[in-house]
Amino acid sequence: MARKYQLKKEVQTGTSGIDYAKELNEQQYAAVSSQPGPALVIAGAGSGKTRTLTYRVAYLLDQGIDPKNILLLTFTNKAAREMVDRVRELVPRDLSELWAGTFHSIGSRILRRHAEEMGLTRSFSIMDRDDQKSLIKTVIASCDIDTKQRRFPKADVLISIFSLIENTGITLEELLETRYPYFEEWVEEISQVAAGYQAKKMDTNCVDFDDLLILPLKLFQKNQELCSLYQKRFQFVLVDEYQDTNRVQSELIDILARPQLSVMVVGDDAQSIYSWRGADMDHILSFPKRYDGAQVYKIETNYRSVPEVLNLSNAAIRANRKQFTKTLNAARPGGSMIPALIPLEDPRKQADFIAQRILELREEGVQMEEMAVLYRAHHQSLEIQMELTSRGIPFEITSGLRFFEQQHIKDVAAFLRFAVNRRDEVSFKRFCLMLPGIGGVSADKLWREWLKTGLAKEEKPPELFSQVMHQFKVPKKAAKDWEQLCYVLDEMVMGGGEFSRPADMITSVLEGVYREYMQQSFDNFENRQQDIEQLILYAEGFDDILELLEQLSLMSSVDGDPSGSKAERDDEKVTLSSIHQAKGLEWKAVFLIWLTDGMFPNGRILEADDEDMLEEERRLFYVALTRAKNELYLTYPQINPKSYTGDVIQRPSRFLDECPSEMMELWEVTPSW
């Protein structure tokens, strides 16, 4: 056995002059100054998680730890840069050898050094999503898959499927059964494409973003000698947002942390809200079991919110069974308003209230950029967008495009526009290009055939589009879909050349052709379907299709300004955001809308009767509440107008029922008369 001999070096401790006990609160200091070994830091919302990690790095440097022996893993490059910059301010040291960055950037750095070990050269290319789509299309073509009779998933969807399989360890069969049941008939062909895609990446010396994690992990598992070198280098591993790690990220951490096990992971199980993209909360919950002797530190002092908001937040998460129990305590004084609970008559009254209250808060001195409207799903912002636009209140959307600017909304609108204006070449070609086998050249030929019929110049639409359009020459692959598309256009017109009701026209498009197209084309099919269903509800307020199309046009630009220049001139904007996009952000005033069962928590989750999924919804509710610094408004419509079935009475969210009524002040909103 080799004798162990340790080199000694002159160690200068405390070179920064920081008084850590003074700079940090008691809980932060306990974590920052902890002894080497496995440590789990449960940092509650607004408790100074980033500060704790930053000071931990500074503390290690002050103890004489060489920067090259520290690895800091984050989920965004911005977070890594901010922490390193802050450490550099605290400790005047050369940090060029400290490895800090996202999992993907660190993985890329490792892979570049040892690419040959994994069958690549060091000049390998990292593909973006467009590159992936192009490569997958090439593979599909080479597999000779017959997609003439049935729709095969588009490349975008396949990318999501392959990514989830790699990052969660679930089998293709299991994934299709639970998330993509409409593709189960394609399981063999999808498996064939997956294998071809992997082979093609190696042939072309390319990797995708998932490979930046998967290949370094395989490298370490394959080459123990190389793995040991990295383990010796990274004597201290620090991980941010640990609750968001997926299987591959967790395994990378575990393998790098051995054998010294000096790993500190920081996160909050109560803010684990990304299981749908592969994150596994069990990693943070099971950490003390997986790491023998792990110390658990809780940081519960919140510097963001007033006590009234925190009391409600603590109560809201209490019902979850799977959690590290903690209580957020406010560093700020109380006396602010109690969170307001506001039932409204319907979605439009909800929008009226929010717009009016935003203007009132602005008059009271709250800047618009300090206000946010949060929601469970993007489509729930429709009425809010309309009302803010009509009142000239500037807003920005972080959860996606403005409602009427989204691709699937524009796709559906193309059918309506063409039915009304048969000379609309752009709309005609847009829906033609949705069909399999039809490209730009084919769409142009079909348009010329349509012009030859002379119907484009008729004042009224034909009673049956199909009588004429069925005769058009379309690629064999598109024949069945073209026939169905023609029938959809037929349904838009009633006898005498009059148009059907706008809501019925949209329903015909969704049911006739577009639902199947979305399933094939988009990995977030269900969200997009909800958007279109919301558009149908909106269209119920119109009897004239021309009026609806006019509103769609006006709402698809900022305040009717197609250039968007007005939005650029507005320095102040209210934020509209999904809760998922709002994580990590904060505002003085937060409006949390659509708090009804079926909307939040999500209806599909209630139908599934899955306790784990419901607990994640509750965590999402908790995240939303803890975004508010001063004022919190909880709103819900009591009635939701539904197509065909009439108005539906809404049940307040069960999450509200779980909160003590004395923690919320009930507001009664009266009409203006």
Side-chain angles (χ1 to χ4, degrees):
M1 178 182 289
R3 178 186 296 184
K4 292 186 178 180
Y5 182 87
Q6 184 174 13
L7 293 174
K8 298 179 181 179
K9 66 176 180 178
E10 185 179 353
V11 177
Q12 293 182 333
T13 60
T15 56
S16 69
I18 298 172
D19 186 340
Y20 289 93
K22 185 178 180 180
E23 292 283 328
L24 304 166
N25 67 39
E26 186 177 339
Q27 291 178 325
Q28 291 172 337
Y29 177 68
V32 165
S33 61
S34 61
Q35 293 298 304
L40 169 61
V41 181
I42 301 297
S47 66
K49 168 180 62 67
T50 301
R51 182 179 180 84
T52 302
L53 263 179
T54 301
Y55 273 80
R56 175 62 174 176
V57 176
Y59 183 85
L60 292 174
L61 296 173
D62 266 350
Q63 302 307 304
I65 303 301
D66 195 310
K68 72 179 182 182
N69 296 136
I70 300 173
L71 171 64
L72 174 60
L73 291 165
T74 65
F75 272 83
T76 67
N77 286 311
K78 180 183 177 185
R81 285 194 302 269
E82 287 177 351
M83 280 192 257
V84 172
D85 288 345
R86 181 64 179 136
V87 171
R88 195 175 281 115
E89 292 174 9
L90 293 171
V91 184
R93 294 276 299 274
D94 177 11
L95 301 180
S96 58
E97 289 194 285
L98 186 152
W99 280 36
T102 64
F103 284 88
H104 291 89
S105 66
I106 297 298
S108 175
R109 193 169 174 179
I110 293 170
L111 194 57
R112 285 280 179 209
R113 293 182 166 198
H114 313 286
E116 291 82 1
E117 290 257 358
M118 302 308 294
L120 301 164
T121 73
R122 296 185 68 177
S123 60
F124 65 79
S125 300
I126 301 174
M127 298 185 293
D128 61 19
R129 197 168 184 91
D130 284 340
D131 298 329
Q132 286 181 270
K133 287 162 64 175
S134 178
L135 197 64
I136 285 176
K137 287 176 182 176
T138 301
V139 172
I140 292 173
S142 69
C143 289
D144 194 28
I145 296 172
D146 181 13
T147 61
K148 293 179 181 179
Q149 300 303 318
R150 300 171 294 161
R151 285 186 180 271
F152 191 68
K154 291 280 183 71
D156 258 328
V157 180
L158 290 172
I159 290 170
S160 296
I161 289 173
F162 298 160
S163 180
L164 280 169
I165 290 171
E166 293 283 13
N167 287 306
T168 63
I170 193 173
T171 66
L172 173 61
E173 290 78 7
E174 290 170 332
L175 181 64
L176 294 185
E177 180 183 356
T178 56
R179 295 185 63 160
Y180 302 91
Y182 35 86
F183 289 141
E184 286 187 279
E185 60 180 334
W186 287 111
V187 62
E188 291 184 11
E189 290 85 351
I190 293 174
S191 181
Q192 184 184 1
V193 173
Y197 175 57
Q198 293 297 335
K200 196 72 173 176
K201 283 189 292 183
M202 299 304 293
D203 290 344
T204 56
N205 198 39
C206 292
V207 300
D208 57 32
F209 279 97
D210 290 326
D211 291 327
L212 297 180
L213 302 180
I214 294 161
L215 294 182
L217 178 60
K218 289 182 177 178
L219 173 67
F220 291 147
Q221 292 168 337
K222 167 186 172 184
N223 189 330
Q224 184 55 50
E225 184 179 357
L226 182 65
C227 179
S228 180
L229 289 175
Y230 280 93
Q231 289 171 335
K232 288 176 182 176
R233 172 170 185 150
F234 299 133
Q235 296 174 17
F236 292 86
V237 178
L238 295 92
V239 185
D240 190 19
E241 302 285 9
Y242 186 64
Q243 78 281 348
D244 293 335
T245 53
N246 62 34
R247 178 186 63 90
V248 179
Q249 290 162 334
S250 178
E251 289 185 12
L252 267 173
I253 295 166
D254 290 347
I255 203 168
L256 286 173
R258 294 195 293 263
Q260 69 274 8
L261 299 179
S262 189
V263 55
M264 175 177 283
V265 298
V266 182
D268 183 5
D269 56 294
Q271 297 186 69
S272 178
I273 57 175
Y274 296 114
S275 66
W276 49 275
R277 66 184 190 196
D280 187 348
M281 191 180 74
D282 185 60
H283 297 149
I284 193 169
L285 292 178
S286 66
F287 186 88
K289 296 178 181 177
R290 290 186 293 111
Y291 284 83
D292 188 39
Q295 296 295 309
V296 179
Y297 301 91
K298 294 181 182 179
I299 304 178
E300 300 169 298
T301 301
N302 176 287
Y303 295 91
R304 174 189 299 152
S305 306
V306 294
E308 291 81 0
V309 169
L310 292 185
N311 291 339
L312 183 63
S313 304
N314 289 328
I317 199 64
R318 201 163 288 138
N320 271 15
R321 296 176 295 105
K322 295 182 178 179
Q323 63 170 309
F324 288 104
T325 305
K326 62 181 176 301
T327 301
L328 293 180
N329 302 303
R332 297 179 56 192
S336 187
M337 65 170 280
I338 296 175
L341 177 62
I342 307 111
L344 284 310
E345 182 182 343
D346 56 35
R348 297 201 178 190
K349 290 293 189 301
Q350 179 175 244
D352 288 343
F353 167 78
I354 289 169
Q356 180 174 311
R357 189 65 190 131
I358 285 172
L359 294 175
E360 290 170 350
L361 288 170
R362 180 66 184 85
E363 289 298 313
E364 294 170 13
V366 182
Q367 300 298 305
M368 286 192 176
E369 64 262 31
E370 289 284 3
M371 305 181 216
V373 181
L374 305 183
Y375 34 82
R376 172 63 178 82
H378 187 52
H379 69 83
Q380 295 168 0
S381 68
L382 171 58
E383 290 86 5
I384 308 294
Q385 291 187 44
M386 291 169 51
E387 190 60 31
L388 296 184
T389 300
S390 68
R391 296 197 188 208
I393 300 174
F395 62 92
E396 64 177 352
I397 300 175
T398 64
S399 54
L401 295 170
R402 290 176 178 245
F403 187 84
F404 297 109
E405 293 174 348
Q406 299 175 103
Q407 177 186 337
H408 48 295
I409 301 299
K410 286 188 168 186
D411 285 348
V412 171
F415 287 87
L416 311 184
R417 293 182 194 280
F418 174 72
V420 170
N421 174 17
R422 274 79 59 201
R423 287 186 282 179
D424 189 337
E425 181 178 353
V426 172
S427 293
F428 180 90
K429 289 182 176 178
R430 185 179 186 110
F431 60 64
C432 286
L433 289 169
M434 295 178 201
L435 305 187
I438 293 184
V441 174
S442 298
D444 192 58
K445 288 180 180 178
L446 288 169
W447 175 248
R448 289 200 297 272
E449 285 199 60
W450 170 251
L451 291 179
K452 288 177 185 176
T453 68
L455 294 173
K457 296 182 180 180
E458 293 290 333
E459 183 179 347
K460 289 190 174 185
E463 291 194 18
L464 290 174
F465 284 89
S466 57
Q467 260 185 355
V468 177
M469 295 173 65
H470 276 174
Q471 311 306 315
F472 292 3
K473 294 180 181 178
V474 297
K476 186 177 180 181
K477 193 175 182 180
K480 183 179 178 182
D481 293 292
W482 177 257
E483 182 180 7
Q484 183 61 32
L485 184 151
C486 295
Y487 290 139
V488 167
L489 291 172
D490 287 347
E491 288 183 7
M492 292 185 172
V493 183
M494 300 186 295
E498 298 297 325
F499 295 108
S500 302
R501 294 174 63 250
D504 295 341
M505 294 174 74
I506 299 170
T507 301
S508 293
V509 175
L510 175 62
E511 300 293 344
V513 291
Y514 201 67
R515 176 180 281 113
E516 186 178 357
Y517 174 78
M518 285 193 295
Q519 288 177 340
Q520 174 212 20
S521 304
F522 305 121
D523 60 338
N524 59 345
F525 150 68
E526 290 180 336
N527 290 339
R528 292 178 189 253
Q529 177 171 277
Q530 287 179 341
D531 284 347
I532 295 173
E533 290 170 352
Q534 192 67 25
L535 179 63
I536 293 171
L537 297 183
Y538 173 58
E540 286 289 340
F542 296 84
D543 292 321
D544 188 336
I545 185 60
L546 293 175
E547 288 183 13
L548 173 63
L549 289 174
E550 182 179 352
Q551 284 300 309
L552 294 184
S553 298
L554 293 174
M555 290 294 296
S556 65
S557 59
V558 181
D559 291 351
D561 177 6
S563 70
S565 58
K566 185 179 189 306
E568 293 170 7
R569 292 195 301 268
D570 283 320
D571 295 325
E572 270 199 88
K573 298 177 186 175
V574 175
T575 298
L576 272 59
S577 176
S578 71
I579 303 167
H580 284 102
Q581 292 290 330
K583 185 175 176 290
L585 304 177
E586 59 185 42
W587 295 270
K588 287 183 177 177
V590 168
F591 297 85
L592 181 54
I593 66 173
W594 275 105
L595 286 170
T596 63
D597 268 6
M599 290 294 186
F600 194 12
N602 181 277
R604 294 190 306 277
I605 289 171
L606 295 180
E607 290 172 8
D609 195 25
D610 186 311
E611 189 61 33
D612 286 343
M613 293 169 66
L614 185 61
E615 288 206 355
E616 179 159 338
E617 287 287 285
R618 193 177 287 110
R619 292 194 295 271
L620 194 61
F621 181 56
Y622 172 84
V623 168
L625 299 181
T626 53
R627 299 312 94 198
K629 295 163 70 174
N630 298 346
E631 301 188 17
L632 178 60
Y633 300 88
L634 310 170
T635 72
Y636 66 90
Q638 295 171 295
I639 294 175
N640 189 15
K642 292 280 186 180
S643 302
Y644 310 120
T645 58
D647 294 347
V648 174
I649 296 176
Q650 298 282 106
R651 181 187 184 278
S653 171
R654 61 194 61 199
F655 298 152
L656 294 173
D657 293 339
E658 294 168 355
C659 298
S661 58
E662 64 270 17
M663 291 184 178
M664 299 173 285
E665 182 182 26
L666 183 64
W667 286 27
E668 182 180 349
V669 177
T670 56
S672 57
W673 60 79

